[in-house]
Amino acid sequence: MVREVSEGQPGSGDTGDGGPGEGPRGWVRRLHPLDWLAGGLLTLGLLAVVTGLLPKDPAAAEMRRVGPLVVFLGTVIVMAELTGRAQVFDVVAAWVARAGRGRYPLLFGLCVAFASLTTITLNLDTTAVLLTPVMLALATRVGIAAVPLAMTTVWLANTASLLLPVSNLTNLLAAERVALSPSGLAAVMWLPQLAAIAMTSLWLWVFYWRRGRRGADRYTPPGPPVAGDPVLLRICAVACGGFLLAILLADVPLWAASSAAMVVVVVAFAVRRRQELRLSLVPWRLLVLVPGMFLVVQTVDAHGLHGLLESALGSDNGFLGMLRSAGVGAGLSNVLNNLPAYLAGEAVVPAGNHEQLLALLIGVNVGPLVTPWASLATLLWFERCRFHGTRIALGRFVGTGLVLSVTGTAAAVCALALVS
């Protein structure tokens, strides 16, 4: 199977490192709007520090906190990108389609499991950036309707990101705040995660996968997948598996585990396909966006947002307070973005209100499904769909996303109340 992902596609991490002879103006023209956004946020954050709007000590403390997160984010995305180029995702996607045996209900369950597992173990942005084009290419290859597969990918990229710290940057922040290890977070969030996936599956079937929506009774399974380099594929698959085992069983720091796995994958590519190793693999946009967003949110929080959110979130650590916090988190995510929504909310939730904080986490992970900018994963997914030529009707996206946002968030919070 040939992947339909190439260097320079939107969202692939290519920020336009340019070719021979390309001058600064050409490089600037290649910048994506999200690159301008990331650079603008970092510039605003640094200006806030320089001008004194954000005192230097709190800013330095925030950067010390964000440092390991940035290392993790950069290394895990490089690892995932190279794993995708080794055709691990293509082989699994083809296996999923073959295992479905031409029956849509079985294919649906397998696609849900595949997208959920990718999000849980390799981060929601990996699902958006790498799994989306693979699934859309598979749809074209075997004659499956593209929109059901696309919506499965984007919805589960968000709603399946509750279980582990690796699944979402917000989880890393929350786990640090409530002092939970990866296995500890999983022990608390397993039932909310199941509830979110179950609700997502229900609405995916109702809105996109049932017979009247997909327009076919059966599909033709593809032939056996053929990897271009089986050795490289196995090495990358083992590295990903080792990374997951390290964070779950050995309780290794996430940045250390992801760095070690990335080194294994990079060395394998250096030996077998050195030409694939380019600076464009590094997700420069995210590495600039995250520190900038931290600084800007902390600045805004110090100048009025904190008081507004205190009134909106309250301090109730009980069930109603959990519902309230999750609702505010989901709503603010769809207005702004889920990462700044979490950062601002976390600063307001009292230190001992762990259930309220985890409910806020549910809101910012499961809830950002209504607007295209509610999460970075959704923005990247829209880019991939547009590049592939798959049209997503915005009205339907918003309407169906609103239904899942409300019901999925409520179901996950109820599940959290049961295990808390």
Side-chain angles (χ1 to χ4, degrees):
M1 184 185 299
V2 180
R3 290 192 66 213
E4 294 193 1
V5 184
S6 62
E7 289 180 353
Q9 282 181 239
S12 68
D14 188 353
T15 58
D17 52 346
E22 183 175 87
R25 290 185 180 179
W27 183 82
V28 169
R29 281 197 299 270
R30 292 183 61 186
L31 288 178
H32 189 270
L34 286 177
D35 297 321
W36 288 103
L37 173 64
L41 284 174
L42 182 59
T43 301
L44 288 174
L46 293 175
L47 283 174
V49 175
V50 170
T51 59
L53 284 173
L54 180 61
K56 291 183 179 179
D57 288 344
E62 201 70 6
M63 290 302 96
R64 284 193 295 271
R65 182 188 184 194
V66 79
L69 306 183
V70 170
V71 172
F72 158 74
L73 193 62
T75 52
V76 80
I77 288 179
V78 170
M79 176 188 71
E81 176 70 33
L82 290 174
T83 299
R85 295 187 182 201
Q87 296 182 290
V88 172
F89 297 107
D90 301 81
V91 169
V92 176
W95 177 86
V96 166
R98 285 172 59 80
R101 303 177 203 172
R103 300 200 296 267
Y104 272 100
L106 181 56
L107 176 68
F108 170 70
L110 291 170
C111 285
V112 167
F114 182 26
S116 299
L117 186 63
T118 302
T119 300
I120 289 169
T121 58
L122 286 176
N123 187 273
L124 77 166
D125 295 325
T126 295
T127 300
V129 171
L130 299 180
L131 188 57
T132 300
V134 168
M135 297 290 268
L136 292 176
L138 183 64
T140 300
R141 184 168 181 244
V142 301
I144 302 171
V147 171
L149 286 170
M151 293 305 300
T152 300
T153 304
V154 70
W155 276 5
L156 287 165
N158 289 283
T159 63
S161 65
L162 283 172
L163 189 65
L164 298 175
V166 66
S167 310
N168 200 325
L169 182 56
T170 54
N171 297 5
L172 285 165
L173 299 169
E176 179 188 16
R177 166 75 180 264
V178 298
L180 285 175
S181 65
S183 56
L185 183 65
V188 174
M189 299 301 280
W190 69 270
L191 189 58
Q193 181 64 94
L194 284 178
I197 292 175
M199 195 59 69
T200 305
S201 301
L202 169 65
W203 293 121
L204 277 171
W205 184 265
V206 169
F207 290 134
Y208 295 101
W209 277 84
R210 61 187 172 90
R211 174 64 177 81
R213 293 294 186 182
R214 66 177 184 260
D217 289 318
R218 295 183 64 84
Y219 67 94
T220 302
V226 178
D229 188 335
V231 174
L232 192 60
L233 183 145
R234 292 190 191 101
I235 291 173
C236 292
V238 170
C240 290
F243 165 65
L244 182 61
L245 289 175
I247 64 172
L248 285 178
L249 302 181
D251 202 18
V252 176
L254 282 171
W255 66 269
S258 62
S259 298
M262 184 201 70
V263 168
V264 171
V265 171
V266 167
V267 168
F269 267 84
V271 172
R272 302 189 69 84
R273 277 160 53 182
R274 181 181 294 271
Q275 71 277 8
E276 299 272 5
L277 298 178
R278 297 170 58 90
L279 282 175
S280 58
L281 287 169
V282 180
W284 302 108
R285 177 190 302 160
L286 289 178
L287 302 187
V288 171
L289 177 71
V290 172
M293 193 173 286
F294 269 71
L295 292 174
V296 168
V297 170
Q298 192 174 31
T299 303
V300 175
D301 189 58
H303 294 274
L305 182 60
H306 188 90
L308 289 175
L309 279 178
E310 272 188 327
S311 300
L313 289 172
S315 58
D316 182 5
N317 200 39
F319 178 63
L320 291 180
M322 291 161 64
L323 283 175
R324 180 177 175 180
S325 295
V328 171
L332 194 59
S333 294
N334 283 294
V335 172
L336 299 175
N337 179 273
N338 67 332
L339 182 54
Y342 175 79
L343 291 172
E346 183 196 65
V348 170
V349 174
N353 287 14
H354 290 181
E355 287 75 18
Q356 185 185 11
L357 184 72
L358 292 175
L360 174 69
L361 180 67
I362 288 173
V364 301
N365 284 16
V366 179
L369 300 169
V370 183
T371 58
W373 57 82
S375 74
L376 182 61
T378 304
L379 280 170
L380 297 173
W381 172 83
F382 262 108
E383 290 180 9
R384 291 305 203 191
C385 289
R386 187 162 47 245
F387 185 91
H388 184 269
T390 300
R391 182 179 177 275
I392 307 296
L394 188 58
R396 191 176 177 203
F397 176 86
V398 171
T400 58
L402 178 61
V403 172
L404 176 56
S405 178
V406 172
T407 58
T409 299
V413 171
C414 290
L416 176 63
L418 290 176
V419 297
S420 297

